[in-house]
Amino acid sequence: MSVAAINLILDKVVSKDKDFRYMATSDLLNELSKDSFRVDQDLERKLCNVVAVQLEDQSGDISGLAVKCLGVLVRKVGEPQALGLVQSLCDKVTQPSKKVPSRDIASIGLKTVIEVASGNLAHSAAAMISSKMLQGVQQKETFDVINDSLDILSEVLAKFGHLLLDQHAAIVQTLLPYLDDSRHGIRKRALHCIGALAPFLSDPQLDAVVQHNLSQLQGGKLKPDNARSYVQGVGMLSRAVGYRFGRHFQAAVPLVIKYAQQAAEGDDELREFALQALESFVARSPGDARPYLDQLLFEALKYLKYDPNYAVDEMSDDAENGGGSDDEADADASDEEEYSDDDDLSWKVRRAAAKLVSAVVHAYPDQLGEVYSKAAGELVSRFKEREESVKADIFTAYSDMLRQVAIVSSHYAENAPANPLQLLRNDVGTVLRAAAKQLSDRSPKTRMGMFTVLRTLVGVLPASVAEHVGMLVPGILLACKDKSASSSSLKIEALTFLRSAMESNSPAVFQLHVQQLSTGVFAAVGERYYKVAAEALRVCEQMVSVVRSDLSAPVPDNLTQLVQDMFRCINSRLAAQDQDQEVKECAILCMAHLVATCGDLLSAEVPGVLKLLLDRLRNEITRLPAVKALAILAHSQLQLGMEAALEPITGELTSFLRKANRLLRQASLQALDALIAKHGAALDATSTSAVITEASALISDADLSIAALSLKVFVTLTSKQPQSAQEVVEKALPAALTLVKSPLLQVGAAADLHCRQLLLQCVVEQQSFNGHPR
């Protein structure tokens, strides 16, 4: 754009009409964003002045656009102009006389500059902003100026602290006194600044800051507010500098634990900060924290149960252990639900303790046996936690422990008493009983978290639910039939767990409960949300194997009706056109598994299913899952009467061999091989010739996997139709002989073996046709 056009935009920017100003500012932003934007120094200066004015526009929309212009402008103009703009913004932030809205937009502008600055500008701008903000911080009587200055200083230190080495000492000297400030907001921001700067401090400077914090805590004469800030500061420093803080653990760990133990009644924030500091010790410097492992774990488990404002009485304990009447248990549950205290912050302590346990589990896998024996039972007992957010962290901590068990157990002997997997196996009953109670909780988030834990448990110990399925069934059904607005995620978690459990256990485990579970699963199949319906169809697919695990044995009499019900449920999804692609694919594959496994009970419906699958085969969107479904049916040991539809199915599959989609060609060859193996004798000459022609074109070293599948089809075909050997020799054998000579073909590979098998078979069959005995 010409200079005249930009000047025209700048004239409109100062218009009295708000709409004109907005459109002009928007046009200016578009021009600034172009790579071709170039202007002289005079226009640069004018642009900077205009943007500075627009930042203070009374319209929030215009000032917001001006901030975006600022972010682009400082990268397009010369460094002197950009620094002049930065200095102007710094002055607006640090001048006490400025109005709050003006200071706020200037703060946003500076943060934008910090975000986009790079190269030489970054060094100059960071130094200027840092020194100006330090001046603002020293205006001790102006709360807003100090707050905004500390905020901006924190951001510039976090990004450019390594460029401000000469200012580190002055920054530390200015900030440390604010840790004793009576105003909570200023103490908190000063801590953030120190935490942002800490990674860039030299070792002597860092040691001085840490010693200052620890010496204040060791003095023991701090006000509660200041004690909280210093304990929080210790944790923040540890999190920021990691292993460099480890040399101070000898003083820091006992001191932080002491403050947690000696916190006044109701001072839960101090306990929370102390536990967070301990977590940072473990997570950021596990080697240095190792000598304190037992003590740290003890504190974590102690505060995991910390709930001074709520006590479970003995009757409640009896009820939990199986004693007490149902009425008493209901009364206890009612009391728990009615209990509420907005001032109770003890849940923050328990949450911090759960995170500390999780950190210990991650940091010390070599000590997992000991950690598991101490912590697993405590975590399970806290599944009954009344605060939902804390319960989620407890579930997370227990899931983390389960994953670590899976990783570490390979280093132990299978049945060693200290093997964490063996310890987990002994605890399964207790875990599942506690889980069953949580699955009846009113909160969908709690039940969803519990299903996640159970899914992790099944992944670690596949047969874990075998003896306790019955107690989980009510919770699964409750989740599948949930009608709440946020039930979709819960249903997906429940169905995913159910599918995992069915996959990892013997079919006999679920056979007693499959009838009961089917009501919830079938209801989920009919869900409008496609992800729920798709997952439910995958569960149905797994249920088929539960209903009939052995094709040589008949379906149990009490489950024959279930097969019919399952067919109607799946067919309703298979026949529908207006549904998501994922649901269509799952319905096709699920129906194929059902018919392949229980087709003898569905003989009247099989022709209709084949017709539907043929329709899906002719649809570009669903043809790949339809091909896989036909392969499943062809592999079935049952006689499904596919001969009637064999010709059109073979024709469609053969046509797919010409498609560019490799997955489709691969699946089609596999399906053709399965169909020919079972019904090859019924193939007519036209279909056979088409298969030979299309498959022979795929025999080359361009794609050895496809070539191997093509050769396998010919091997199967010549064994089922010996009369086709002559045509195979003419059309496929030359390509096979060329492939054998290819340097890409490895001896013993699938394509090589099929080549040799085909050569031998073709020679034998051809000799037979020529009148020679085989």
Side-chain angles (χ1 to χ4, degrees), residues 176-177 179-181 208-223 226-231 234 255 258-259:
L176 287 181
L179 297 182
D180 294 315
D181 197 279
V209 173
V210 174
Q211 287 299 334
H212 174 81
N213 278 261
L214 295 179
S215 62
Q216 291 293 321
L217 290 171
Q218 287 167 342
K221 297 180 180 180
L222 293 173
K223 294 179 181 179
N226 292 349
R228 285 193 287 270
S229 293
Y230 277 110
V231 171
V234 168
L255 199 55
K258 172 187 171 184
Y259 269 86

Side-chain angles (χ1 to χ4, degrees), residues 682-735:
L683 273 179
D684 57 58
T686 304
S687 298
T688 301
S689 180
V691 170
I692 294 172
T693 301
E694 297 300 336
S696 61
L698 300 177
I699 302 175
S700 73
D701 59 4
D703 191 331
L704 293 176
S705 177
I706 294 292
L709 289 172
S710 301
L711 291 166
K712 190 170 185 294
V713 168
F714 289 131
V715 170
T716 306
L717 182 62
T718 52
S719 66
K720 294 295 180 180
Q721 286 196 7
Q723 65 273 21
S724 66
Q726 183 64 36
E727 189 173 358
V728 171
V729 168
E730 294 172 359
K731 295 181 178 179
L733 202 58

Side-chain angles (χ1 to χ4, degrees), residues 139-260:
Q139 299 180 27
K140 297 187 178 181
E141 302 303 321
T142 314
F143 179 79
D144 290 337
V145 172
I146 298 175
N147 259 355
D148 291 339
S149 299
L150 287 171
D151 272 341
I152 295 167
L153 184 60
S154 175
E155 298 222 3
V156 76
L157 291 176
K159 187 168 184 181
F160 301 118
H162 61 290
L163 301 177
L164 303 171
L165 299 178
D166 56 338
Q167 295 189 29
H168 284 179
I171 294 170
V172 171
Q173 187 177 359
T174 303
L175 292 176
L176 287 181
Y178 280 105
L179 297 182
D180 294 315
D181 197 279
S182 59
R183 293 163 290 189
H184 172 72
I186 290 179
R187 290 199 312 274
K188 183 177 180 181
R189 287 172 175 81
L191 278 174
H192 283 296
C193 286
I194 293 174
L197 179 63
F200 310 111
L201 292 175
S202 64
D203 284 347
Q205 289 173 326
L206 177 62
D207 290 343
V209 173
V210 174
Q211 287 299 334
H212 174 81
N213 278 261
L214 295 179
S215 62
Q216 291 293 321
L217 290 171
Q218 287 167 342
K221 297 180 180 180
L222 293 173
K223 294 179 181 179
D225 285 347
N226 292 349
R228 285 193 287 270
S229 293
Y230 277 110
V231 171
Q232 186 181 19
V234 168
M236 194 172 292
L237 286 169
S238 170
R239 193 170 287 107
V241 302
Y243 73 92
R244 296 174 65 197
F245 195 91
R247 55 182 174 269
H248 300 283
F249 277 3
Q250 187 173 358
V253 174
L255 199 55
V256 170
I257 292 175
K258 172 187 171 184
Y259 269 86

Side-chain angles (χ1 to χ4, degrees), residues 7-64:
N7 282 323
L8 182 61
I9 291 176
L10 296 181
D11 290 339
K12 291 181 180 180
V13 163
V14 295
S15 171
K16 292 183 179 180
D17 190 310
K18 182 177 72 174
D19 293 335
F20 274 25
R21 296 200 307 276
Y22 180 85
M23 293 304 298
T25 308
S26 178
D27 291 341
L28 179 60
L29 177 60
N30 291 333
E31 291 305 316
L32 290 173
S33 301
K34 292 179 180 178
D35 293 335
S36 59
F37 178 82
R38 296 289 184 277
V39 291
D40 56 29
Q41 289 187 358
D42 290 338
L43 194 52
E44 281 184 3
R45 190 179 302 108
K46 190 174 181 181
L47 282 169
C48 290
N49 292 335
V50 166
V51 170
V53 171
Q54 291 301 92
L55 285 171
E56 297 191 25
D57 197 286
Q58 293 181 350
S59 169
D61 293 336
I62 296 174
S63 60

Side-chain angles (χ1 to χ4, degrees), residues 52-94:
V53 171
Q54 291 301 92
L55 285 171
E56 297 191 25
D57 197 286
Q58 293 181 350
S59 169
D61 293 336
I62 296 174
S63 60
L65 279 176
V67 170
K68 293 181 180 179
C69 289
L70 175 67
V72 181
L73 186 63
V74 293
R75 291 179 293 173
K76 295 295 181 75
V77 300
E79 187 176 327
Q81 301 297 339
L83 290 178
L85 199 51
V86 169
Q87 183 170 1
S88 172
L89 294 171
C90 289
D91 291 339
K92 290 177 183 178
V93 171
T94 57

Side-chain angles (χ1 to χ4, degrees), residues 264-411:
E265 183 179 353
D267 195 356
D268 294 330
E269 200 171 7
L270 177 55
R271 295 184 179 90
E272 179 194 9
F273 290 154
L275 289 168
Q276 287 175 345
L278 296 177
E279 180 199 350
S280 71
F281 296 166
V282 172
R284 300 288 286 135
S285 188
D288 294 306
R290 184 180 289 274
Y292 309 97
L293 175 58
D294 290 341
Q295 197 173 1
L296 293 172
L297 188 58
F298 175 80
E299 295 298 321
L301 298 178
K302 179 175 73 174
Y303 287 111
L304 191 67
K305 300 176 286 188
Y306 176 76
D307 199 354
N309 297 320
Y310 178 79
V312 181
D313 59 25
E314 294 180 4
M315 293 299 292
S316 178
D317 288 337
D318 290 342
E320 184 177 334
N321 294 323
S325 66
D326 293 340
D327 292 339
E328 290 168 340
D330 291 341
D332 290 337
S334 176
D335 290 342
E336 181 174 340
E337 288 157 9
E338 291 172 3
Y339 174 79
S340 176
D341 188 350
D342 294 336
D343 296 327
D344 179 19
L345 298 178
S346 63
W347 63 272
K348 292 186 176 182
V349 178
R350 300 193 298 277
R351 182 183 64 182
K355 291 182 177 180
L356 176 53
V357 172
S358 187
V360 168
V361 168
H362 280 293
Y364 304 108
D366 57 317
Q367 298 293 318
L368 187 62
E370 181 182 350
V371 172
Y372 181 94
S373 62
K374 293 179 180 178
E378 297 290 351
L379 287 171
V380 172
S381 70
R382 291 307 303 169
F383 283 1
K384 62 187 178 184
E385 166 66 44
R386 59 189 176 86
E387 186 67 34
E388 192 169 77
S389 61
V390 181
K391 189 179 289 188
D393 285 315
I394 290 172
F395 289 166
T396 300
Y398 191 73
S399 296
D400 290 343
M401 185 175 289
L402 291 177
R403 295 186 190 98
Q404 288 293 91
V405 166
I407 295 170
V408 172
S409 59
S410 60
H411 301 293

Side-chain angles (χ1 to χ4, degrees), residues 552-569:
S552 62
V555 176
D557 293 340
N558 62 324
L559 297 180
T560 53
Q561 183 57 45
L562 177 61
V563 173
Q564 298 292 335
D565 295 340
M566 192 182 302
F567 174 82
R568 285 191 290 271
C569 176

